[in-house]
Amino acid sequence: MLPFRLRFRPIWLLYALAAVFLVSLLLTAPLQWINPPTTAFILQDGQAGDEPLRARWVPLERMAGVVPMAVVASEDQKFPNHFGFDFEAIAQALAENRDRTRGASTLTQQLAKNLYLWPGRSLFRKGIEAWLTLWIELTWSKERILEVYLNVVEFGPGVYGIFEASDYHFGKTPDRLTEREAALLAAVLPNPKRMSAGEPSSYVYRRALDIEHAIGYLGGSQYLASVIK
């Protein structure tokens, strides 16, 4: 028999589960009100600047309405209605048996990865991403998810957040972006280190046109009003 101190006790499992829940809550819930000073992706990116993110933070109400609309139209058109996962897109990606990580990942999943994790496609990382996605959806509003996403996502090599992206690519603040410029920024999100919004390739430009059409199809401001109360 194992020594008494090494025997498995069910209470240990309860303690472990309680610790996991507590850590998950502490990692996610405060960011509903506190702007993250940086992200895991920025810390791992040698091209990112040293200035903390909070110095460049832009509230959602100080962005042109076409900015969040373009990102939602491009990346996650079911964003207002899902709880962190687009199961239809996931099933389609699995059925097609090809790389559709961006198409199957929601904005919340992308945000969880950018804030807390590292690049990669291992099942272990995806499992942690899914767990944190649930906690973000439980503790944040949809409006807050959009705001944080737009302030931390990468729009070019070392260019993080909509303020830096607007200034770097178009020399203006986010509240002055046109629909075309917002669509170009959203168009590079699948691969911001290789695509440019300021000097778009023919592929990026065509993708931006598709995003503009999607904005019109979704209803623009009326659609966005279902997210931003």
Side-chain angles (χ1 to χ4, degrees):
M1 295 180 60
L2 289 172
F4 178 81
R5 65 185 180 201
L6 296 181
R7 292 177 190 169
F8 173 77
R9 296 182 181 181
I11 193 65
W12 294 349
L13 179 59
L14 293 177
Y15 286 153
L17 289 174
V20 169
F21 274 79
L22 180 60
V23 169
S24 302
L25 183 65
L26 291 175
L27 281 174
T28 55
L31 297 187
Q32 167 66 17
W33 305 282
I34 302 170
N35 297 334
T38 189
T39 72
F41 267 42
I42 291 174
L43 292 174
Q44 297 169 73
D45 188 352
Q47 291 180 292
D50 295 328
E51 186 180 359
L53 259 175
R54 71 179 131 211
R56 306 190 296 263
W57 195 270
V58 183
L60 200 58
E61 61 268 21
R62 289 177 55 194
M63 304 177 197
V66 291
V67 173
M69 191 67 240
V71 170
V72 169
S74 171
E75 298 293 288
D76 187 1
Q77 295 182 13
K78 297 178 183 177
F79 177 70
N81 303 312
H82 65 60
F83 195 72
F85 304 95
D86 185 346
F87 293 106
E88 183 179 348
I90 293 172
Q92 185 177 356
L94 292 173
E96 292 181 358
N97 193 30
R98 63 187 177 93
D99 182 14
R100 291 194 52 185
T101 303
R102 178 66 60 171
S105 293
T106 64
L107 288 179
T108 318
Q109 287 176 276
Q110 294 176 39
L111 179 57
K113 179 178 67 175
N114 276 265
L115 278 175
Y116 303 109
L117 302 173
W118 60 92
R121 297 171 185 165
S122 70
L123 290 177
F124 176 70
R125 193 199 63 76
K126 292 296 288 184
I128 300 175
E129 176 190 298
W131 177 254
L132 292 171
T133 295
L134 286 173
W135 278 94
I136 290 174
E137 288 279 349
L138 279 169
T139 57
W140 300 15
S141 66
K142 289 287 188 177
E143 183 176 356
R144 180 59 173 172
I145 292 171
L146 258 183
E147 182 178 66
V148 176
Y149 180 92
L150 286 164
N151 276 284
V152 304
V153 73
E154 186 179 21
F155 288 99
V159 181
Y160 287 86
I162 190 64
F163 183 92
E164 286 295 321
S166 301
D167 181 60
Y168 179 82
H169 291 295
F170 303 114
K172 58 176 65 175
T173 53
D175 59 315
R176 296 175 55 228
L177 288 172
T178 66
E179 182 173 290
R180 176 62 51 82
E181 291 165 344
L184 285 167
L185 287 171
V188 306
L189 289 175
N191 198 337
K193 290 193 182 300
R194 297 185 61 184
M195 301 178 185
S196 172
E199 299 179 355
S201 64
S202 58
Y203 170 80
V204 170
Y205 194 80
R206 289 194 305 270
R207 181 172 164 80
L209 292 178
D210 289 340
I211 292 169
E212 290 186 72
H213 292 153
I215 292 173
Y217 174 78
L218 290 172
S221 60
Q222 291 182 346
Y223 177 89
L224 193 59
S226 66
V227 182
I228 303 174
K229 308 301 183 185

